[in-house]
Amino acid sequence: MRIADTARAVLSAAARWGPDFEGSTRPAALLRLGLAGLVWTRFARSLCLFKCANPDHVVIAACFFVFTPLMTVGRFSRLATAGTGLTLLACYYHLGMALGHDGFVHHHTYLLASATLLLALTPCGRSLSWDRLAALRAEARGGPPAPPERGPLWGQRLIALQVSMVYLWGAWDKAISNPAFLSGDALEYSLHWIYLGSDSPTWRGLPQLSAAAARGTVLLEVALGAGLFFRSLRRWLIPAGLVFHAIIYYTLPVSTFSMTMALLYLAFLDPDAVHRALDRLVAGPSEARP
Amino acid sequence: MQGPIGVARWLRYGAFITVSAFLFAGPLYRQVLGGEDKRVRSWVMFHGHGRGICEVRYLSPGQGGELTPLNRYALLGYGERERAPRSVQRLRSLEEAERLGRRLCAALPAGDREVRLEARCGEREGWRVVAEAERDLCDQAPTLGARSPL
């Protein structure tokens, strides 16, 4: 009986953490705004009419330019977010894989598509959106009460899982599948390819630095992939992760990957704490003080 | 009322578990089980980036006979690395490195034509030394002149 009770308690806790998770919708709204900006940064130019190579490209681009502005302003938010996510998948699989436009097939483009689709599983339009404004106006005119800025956030948990998978499988590849990584050799290849060409580095400490950076990267990725779920570790891991991604962005051609990962850290935070922080942020000095 | 709520909840549970399993199993299929279907995403970043690049030094006997490094950019008339084409900056095999070495031979004064190559190339397992200055590349140099940078 004790085993059954324990199992029931574990399953109940897992359900509360995952599919039953609820909270403030403001972090989801911030994710919506941030992802919309990143999606535009990465895709918009490639989908302008003068870049379209065939009718499929034109249709997908039209969907992009309908859904992404709606996602940005938060009108028909979930539909627009789902439409944006599906459009990005069409870019990745159809334009990229099937039609051979290689620029669409990257890990950072897939991550944007995946995170956007998962965000559509949350009520990401209940906060900081035109939808919210319209609901408040309707309420003021005597209509139905605006929905509370709370809702089911299991999609946000899935985004957190996606981020964790990126880190943990990335670490697996570096530590297990790539024999040249932990020695630092693979990092040296990249440095040669981007900066040095085939010349010898003038600084003799580069191999040692590369080896240390490689091992540190794997350790940090494992720590981030597993540790971001724990509140007590987040205060250390989030700054470490932000610095890590800033260094990657500055030194390697990673496009939107760094900013996307940094933005998706929002999915790990306590939504109600984010809500309160935004309240404090927009409140005047006298209101913010107790 | 209980019925529909219960169904929605179980659907949500099913969706959560299915998506979670997909997020985990996709990379498992590609990265552990060796699956090759690229429609399934793996999380392999910069895995082979730069692999194949060679780090090279071209050496020639100095006045005392000791081997000293040559500046291939200056010898070929490019001045510095940034002005040289990528094919001169980035050498990706022993053959490419030897071919460039033979161009250096042609660029040297007739009496000083000796060029030796030290090179290591990036392979899957790590750096591999492919040349240790054991041969004079000018022994096999073509009679063609060095390419003009102009």
Side-chain angles (χ1 to χ4, degrees):
Chain A
M1 283 300 289
R2 289 188 71 175
I3 293 175
D5 289 344
T6 306
R8 198 171 296 125
V10 168
L11 285 175
S12 175
R16 279 198 306 278
W17 182 88
D20 288 343
F21 179 57
E22 292 191 358
S24 166
T25 49
R26 286 192 184 171
L30 292 175
L31 284 167
R32 190 192 80 241
L33 290 163
L35 281 173
L38 286 167
V39 161
W40 259 72
T41 302
R42 178 58 185 81
F43 286 88
R45 186 174 157 75
S46 311
L47 293 170
C48 286
L49 191 59
F50 55 84
K51 289 279 188 181
C52 290
N54 51 57
D56 297 10
H57 204 151
V58 173
V59 171
I60 289 170
C63 292
F64 179 89
F65 288 112
V66 169
F67 287 126
T68 53
L70 290 172
M71 180 180 167
T72 306
V73 299
R75 190 59 174 151
F76 312 117
S77 301
R78 290 184 80 166
L79 178 69
T81 304
T84 300
L86 291 171
T87 303
L88 300 186
L89 274 192
C91 287
Y92 184 90
Y93 283 110
H94 188 64
L95 296 181
M97 285 195 159
L99 299 184
H101 298 285
D102 292 339
F104 290 112
V105 185
H106 291 287
H107 59 271
H108 66 270
T109 53
Y110 185 89
L111 181 63
L112 281 171
S114 169
T116 306
L117 275 175
L118 294 175
L119 184 66
L121 299 172
T122 71
C124 57
R126 281 199 192 171
S127 300
L128 308 174
S129 65
W130 183 349
D131 288 342
R132 175 80 182 155
L133 197 60
L136 290 171
R137 280 181 177 163
E139 182 180 342
R141 286 196 301 266
E149 287 187 274
R150 291 186 69 77
L153 296 176
W154 56 286
Q156 198 168 309
R157 291 300 202 204
L158 289 171
I159 292 174
L161 282 173
Q162 171 72 93
V163 171
S164 173
M165 290 298 106
V166 172
Y167 282 130
L168 293 177
W169 284 112
W172 174 278
D173 174 64
K174 293 176 181 75
I176 308 291
S177 309
N178 188 348
F181 192 84
L182 288 178
S183 66
D185 288 1
L187 275 184
E188 283 191 69
Y189 302 167
S190 288
L191 293 176
H192 274 280
W193 189 257
I194 298 167
Y195 297 106
L196 298 170
S198 287
D199 295 343
S200 301
T202 50
W203 184 50
R204 290 181 182 277
L206 186 65
Q208 290 75 21
L209 179 67
S210 296
R215 289 164 197 177
T217 297
V218 171
L219 283 177
L220 184 59
E221 285 189 331
V222 171
L224 289 165
L228 281 172
F229 293 105
F230 300 97
R231 183 186 305 210
S232 59
L233 298 176
R234 279 199 292 267
R235 68 162 53 188
W236 308 107
L237 288 174
I238 286 180
L242 293 176
V243 169
F244 172 62
H245 285 296
I247 292 171
I248 290 177
Y249 184 83
Y250 189 62
T251 55
L252 296 171
V254 293
S255 187
T256 51
F257 179 71
S258 281
M259 277 304 296
T260 306
M261 292 296 275
L263 174 71
L264 297 184
Y265 284 178
L266 272 170
F268 290 93
L269 302 181
D270 173 8
D272 295 332
V274 174
H275 188 112
R276 290 191 297 272
L278 282 177
D279 275 345
R280 284 197 298 275
L281 199 64
V282 296
S286 57
E287 293 172 75
R289 289 196 191 104
Chain B
M1 287 296 286
Q2 285 295 316
I5 292 172
V7 168
R9 190 176 192 189
W10 283 112
L11 280 175
R12 194 168 70 241
Y13 280 30
F16 188 89
I17 291 167
T18 304
V19 176
S20 301
F22 176 76
L23 295 178
F24 177 78
L28 178 79
Y29 163 75
R30 289 286 304 279
Q31 295 179 228
V32 179
L33 304 177
E36 293 181 357
D37 187 340
K38 292 191 174 177
R39 289 172 299 182
V40 179
R41 185 71 223 180
S42 62
W43 292 109
V44 170
M45 280 83 77
F46 283 82
H47 180 95
H49 186 251
R51 187 185 293 164
I53 189 93
C54 297
E55 184 184 311
V56 304
R57 282 208 314 164
Y58 294 100
L59 305 162
S60 189
Q63 291 190 337
E66 76 286 4
L67 290 175
T68 54
L70 291 172
N71 181 337
R72 65 179 186 276
Y73 306 112
L75 265 178
L76 294 176
Y78 300 111
E80 54 199 26
R81 182 173 68 225
E82 287 69 25
R83 291 187 183 170
R86 284 190 175 173
S87 60
V88 175
Q89 291 185 34
R90 295 176 184 164
L91 302 165
R92 290 176 293 182
S93 67
L94 177 61
E95 291 70 31
E96 280 188 23
E98 287 186 338
R99 202 178 307 132
L100 190 72
R102 289 193 283 274
R103 281 177 59 193
L104 294 178
C105 292
L108 285 169
D112 296 332
R113 282 186 181 161
E114 180 176 342
V115 173
R116 292 176 183 272
L117 172 67
E118 281 183 352
R120 59 177 187 163
C121 296
E123 298 189 350
R124 188 176 182 277
E125 307 294 327
W127 287 113
R128 186 167 75 87
V129 174
V130 294
E132 293 183 292
E134 67 276 21
R135 287 190 299 128
D136 177 10
L137 298 176
C138 300
D139 279 349
Q140 311 156 331
T143 53
L144 295 173
R147 182 183 153 195
S148 165
L150 298 176

